[in-house]
């Protein structure tokens, strides 16, 4: 890995494991309760460099992973957590060149995962401020090439989908069942619908609509991620965890005559 340059994103981690995301700029400083670190002190250093603030606090400097960036980036809407994004990439089978319709895009966390997996995304989003934030986050972390595969339109997906022959329709919004009919005409046969919803009532409603559609192989699951505390003889699960985020549902478009699975 090359050393840090001005323009690079850097994650600074203090002794209490608090994290701060900064973009290095000449003449700028990172300020904290312990004085400041000049960005110029980090420029030219390798990852793992320990920066010292004017009042002596130590900060480890590393490049943020996508998961770290998602948790620290500017957010409007609630983001999908990295643990769920990882599962979505695999179970909604996002591949290089996949033609994906995503709604809503919110802060762009899930978009970033799919773009990095090589997808091309058209996003439908109701809120202009969220759309702008999503595009800014994508460009900030993934750069211009990924941003060129990402187009966000300000519109309500419940009104319909203009795209055809899509590989995937990926939903994170309150009433995904309202999109099932539109997704039937927008996807090619074998294409996949994915929906992320926080409540079991929404899962049940979605399955009712899917059962009455050309989609089959509907399947819902959740992802539990439990960290471990490892120190000397104390090797055990963390006391606290994010116990619930959302339920993940996938289904595949079949011909009208196919048997429901
Ligand atoms: N998955 C995103 C977060 C999405 S939050 C992330 O990981 O960052 C849900 C978003 O859906 C909000 O931004 C909301 O404005 C948008 N939304 C809700 N209903 C919608 C609809 N009918 N059409 C398009 N976008 C919608």
């Amino acid at each position: 890995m090359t050393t840090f340059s001005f323009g690079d994103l850097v994650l600074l981690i203090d002794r209490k494991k608090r994290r701060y995301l900064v973009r290095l700029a000449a003449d700028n400083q990172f300020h904290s309760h312990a004085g400041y670190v000049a960005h110029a002190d980090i420029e030219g250093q390798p990852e793992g460099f320990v920066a010292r603030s004017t009042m002596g606090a130590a900060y480890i400097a590393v490049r943020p992973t996508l998961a770290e960036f998602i948790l620290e980036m500017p957010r409007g809407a609630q983001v999908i957590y990295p643990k769920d994004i990882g599962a979505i990439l695999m179970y909604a089978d996002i591949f290089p060149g996949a033609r994906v319709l995503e709604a809503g895009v919110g802060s762009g966390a899930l978009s970033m995962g799919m773009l990095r997996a090589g997808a091309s995304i058209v996003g439908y989003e109701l809120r202009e401020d969220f759309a702008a934030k999503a595009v800014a986050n994508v460009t900030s972390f993934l750069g211009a090439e990924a941003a060129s595969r990402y187009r966000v339109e300000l519109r309500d997906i419940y009104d319909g989908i203009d795209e055809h022959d899509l590989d995937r329709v990926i939903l994170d919004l309150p009433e995904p069942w309202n999109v099932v009919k539109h997704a039937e005409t927008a996807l090619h046969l074998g294409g996949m619908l994915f929906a992320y919803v926080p409540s079991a009532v929404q899962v049940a409603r979605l399955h009712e609509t899917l059962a009455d559609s050309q989609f089959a192989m509907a399947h819902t699951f959740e992802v539990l991620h439990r960290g471990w505390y490892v120190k000397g003889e104390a090797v055990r699960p963390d006391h606290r965890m994010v116990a619930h985020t959302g339920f993940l549902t996938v289904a595949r478009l079949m011909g009208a005559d196919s048997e429901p699975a």
Side-chain angles (χ1 to χ4, degrees):
M1 218 5 129
T2 54
T3 54
F4 292 119
S5 307
F6 291 127
D8 287 355
L9 278 170
V10 180
L11 190 68
L12 296 175
I13 305 166
D14 71 11
R15 271 184 52 230
K16 291 187 172 164
K17 298 198 171 149
R18 284 177 301 217
R19 289 149 178 257
Y20 308 89
L21 190 64
V22 298
R23 188 176 290 282
L24 292 188
D27 302 329
N28 206 347
Q29 300 102 27
F30 163 71
H31 287 266
S32 72
H33 60 281
Y36 66 88
V37 177
H39 288 194
D41 290 351
I42 300 171
E43 195 263 344
Q45 299 291 347
E47 281 197 76
F49 171 70
V50 178
R52 298 252 164 214
S53 73
T54 47
M55 287 162 65
Y59 299 90
I60 297 178
V62 291
R63 291 181 200 281
T65 63
L66 177 53
E68 287 163 340
F69 181 78
I70 284 169
L71 295 177
E72 305 300 330
M73 72 187 190
R75 304 189 204 175
Q78 171 68 291
V79 299
I80 296 188
Y81 271 65
K83 73 175 176 75
D84 293 317
I85 294 175
I88 293 166
L89 296 182
M90 186 55 69
Y91 290 97
D93 200 37
I94 305 301
F95 57 90
R99 296 186 62 232
V100 174
L101 189 289
E102 183 191 6
V105 305
S107 310
L110 176 56
S111 306
M112 296 171 74
M114 295 194 290
L115 288 166
R116 199 160 76 160
S120 290
I121 303 179
V122 176
Y124 287 5
E125 170 56 54
L126 289 179
R127 289 191 43 170
E128 192 168 6
D129 53 340
F130 289 173
K133 195 158 279 179
V135 171
N137 283 334
V138 162
T139 309
S140 172
F141 190 80
L142 296 176
E145 186 281 324
S148 75
R149 291 183 275 115
Y150 191 47
R151 186 178 88 234
V152 182
E153 300 181 0
L154 287 180
R155 52 191 286 176
D156 186 336
I157 195 171
Y158 301 157
D159 292 341
I161 299 175
D162 282 349
E163 282 64 30
H164 292 285
D165 210 31
L166 291 167
D167 294 303
R168 306 288 181 257
V169 171
I170 306 288
L171 305 172
D172 175 11
L173 37 67
E175 301 186 332
W177 49 88
N178 286 336
V179 184
V180 169
K181 272 271 158 280
H182 305 316
E184 280 178 344
T185 54
L187 286 163
H188 60 69
L189 291 179
M192 295 179 78
L193 177 75
F194 167 85
Y196 175 91
V197 287
S199 134
V201 178
Q202 291 167 299
V203 172
R205 179 95 188 254
L206 176 59
H207 275 256
E208 273 170 31
T209 306
L210 288 172
D212 205 19
S213 77
Q214 293 177 35
F215 286 93
M217 299 167 72
H219 174 62
T220 294
F221 62 100
E222 62 185 316
V223 177
L224 304 181
H225 172 124
R226 188 168 68 162
W228 279 59
Y229 178 87
V230 180
K231 196 167 193 185
E233 295 294 296
V235 180
R236 53 157 177 81
D238 285 335
H239 286 135
R240 292 163 193 273
M241 68 185 281
V242 177
H244 176 65
T245 53
F247 300 108
L248 287 66
T249 300
V250 290
R252 297 189 73 174
L253 187 66
M254 304 292 164
D257 299 334
S258 68
E259 286 288 307

